[in-house]
Amino acid sequence: MKIKLFLLLSLVLLNYSGYSQDKNFYIFLCFGQSNMEGNPRFEQQDTIADERFKVLQAVDCPERQRVKNTWYNAVPPLCRCNTGLSPADYFGKTMLAHLPAKVKIGIINVSVAGSKIEIFDKDHHQIYLETAPEWMKKMAAEYNGNPYARLVELAKLAQKAGVIKGILLHQGESNTNDTLWTQKVKGVYTNLLNDLKLKAKSVPLLAGEVVNADQGGVCASMNKIIAKLPEVIPNAYVISSAGCASGKDRLHFTAEGCRKLGKRYGVKMLAILGHKVDEPE
């Protein structure tokens, strides 16, 4: 009996010791549509690597020597192989600039250009994709046809290495004037918490505004709906896009605007973590 008990205890300890989670490795889940995946072309200044800033590759990119499910230094593109600069890029850079040297930042970015929030509906995404254009279906196919499930799969893998500290969302252009958007986002957020065994109070949701009215944003009316998200999700925070430069289409941020927006995500997350930092102008 004693021998059996010893063997059982040894097995438990062996399994425990094999779980090398670093509590100073902060993981952030990012999802949304084109502005989150990265629309503007990144520039040389955006590609400076930092060993403390990592991305968990979501898809295979042989042309960039990246393999899915593997951690790499976080330089753009952080989403798929040919996406551009994302707010997540400067979110991470801003976080590292104000956190202790022992802390690392990890990003997971699963986003689909042009998609409604319905594409991340755990139970009904397939209904949405059935009527989606072929180019969107091809993007979703890179996530095995289920962006939500792919995000959860990557998040569970990341939890073996670090701790999920927050969720970043930039979506809404394709749901402009949809008054049910906040409830739909709540559904995705709740499912993520449940599937990843997370607590709402320790995993805030940061949602960025779409291109602002001050930039002539064609979907700027959506910001009034986005503003109501904290009424539905108590631990949600809205990131202002005021003054973030827009491209000619007035839908997407320029690289400059994207950097500013990303820094604002970072400043807000730092404040939530107890680090007061001045917001970039």
Side-chain angles (χ1 to χ4, degrees):
M1 180 64 72
K2 289 184 178 180
I3 294 176
K4 289 183 179 180
L5 183 60
F6 174 77
L7 290 174
L8 179 61
L9 181 60
S10 298
L11 183 60
V12 170
L13 290 174
L14 180 62
N15 288 335
Y16 180 81
S17 63
Y19 190 76
S20 56
Q21 186 187 61
D22 182 355
K23 292 183 179 180
N24 289 314
F25 188 16
Y26 296 177
I27 310 296
F28 295 91
L29 311 183
C30 306
F31 72 103
Q33 52 184 112
S34 55
N35 275 310
M36 180 54 85
E37 73 174 18
N39 180 264
R41 291 184 179 181
F42 48 87
E43 301 169 6
Q44 183 62 36
Q45 63 178 299
D46 307 316
T47 62
I48 301 173
D50 188 324
E51 290 292 333
R52 294 169 57 214
F53 187 23
K54 303 292 184 180
V55 61
L56 184 56
Q57 189 66 24
V59 301
D60 287 323
C61 290
E63 64 270 40
R64 298 186 184 277
Q65 291 78 53
R66 296 184 189 177
V67 179
K68 65 182 180 181
N69 301 338
T70 306
W71 290 103
Y72 294 93
N73 287 339
V75 293
L78 299 186
C79 192
R80 295 186 311 283
C81 308
N82 297 306
T83 53
L85 190 67
S86 166
D89 284 280
Y90 278 81
F91 165 79
K93 291 175 184 292
T94 301
M95 294 287 288
L96 288 182
H98 300 282
L99 289 172
K102 65 181 180 181
V103 176
K104 296 185 298 181
I105 300 294
I107 293 293
I108 298 171
N109 191 337
V110 174
S111 299
V112 182
S115 62
K116 290 186 176 182
I117 194 65
E118 283 84 345
I119 203 170
F120 294 99
D121 186 312
K122 178 180 177 178
D123 300 314
H124 304 103
H125 68 281
Q126 194 57 48
I127 296 174
Y128 173 70
L129 279 172
E130 284 176 1
T131 58
E134 288 302 316
W135 55 264
M136 187 183 296
K137 290 179 181 179
K138 289 180 180 179
M139 289 181 184
E142 294 191 61
Y143 303 125
N144 302 318
N146 190 338
Y148 174 84
R150 183 61 178 140
L151 181 60
V152 170
E153 180 182 21
L154 289 164
K156 287 182 177 179
L157 182 61
Q159 284 179 310
K160 297 178 181 179
V163 180
I164 296 175
K165 288 285 189 176
I167 301 172
L168 278 57
L169 169 67
H170 196 283
Q171 195 281 333
E173 293 91 345
S174 294
N175 286 85
T176 297
N177 299 325
D178 180 358
T179 56
L180 296 178
W181 181 84
T182 56
Q183 292 294 337
K184 294 173 183 178
V185 171
K186 181 181 180 180
V188 180
Y189 177 68
T190 300
N191 283 333
L192 285 171
L193 295 179
N194 292 337
D195 289 342
L196 297 171
K197 296 179 172 57
L198 301 171
K199 295 181 179 179
K201 64 180 181 181
S202 58
V203 183
L205 173 67
L206 278 58
E209 292 182 335
V210 300
V211 172
N212 206 276
D214 65 12
Q215 301 295 313
V218 295
C219 297
S221 62
M222 185 62 186
N223 288 334
K224 293 181 180 179
I225 294 175
I226 295 174
K228 297 181 179 179
L229 194 58
E231 298 174 12
V232 178
I233 302 173
N235 205 22
Y237 301 84
V238 176
I239 310 303
S240 172
S241 66
C244 294
S246 167
K248 292 181 180 179
D249 63 5
R250 295 180 293 154
L251 277 171
H252 299 103
F253 299 101
T254 63
E256 178 187 358
C258 188
R259 293 183 194 109
K260 181 179 289 187
L261 185 64
K263 290 175 182 177
R264 288 178 179 173
Y265 274 96
V267 168
K268 175 54 70 174
M269 191 65 220
L270 285 164
I272 295 170
L273 294 174
H275 303 270
K276 183 173 176 57
V277 179
D278 292 334
E279 184 174 310
E281 296 180 358

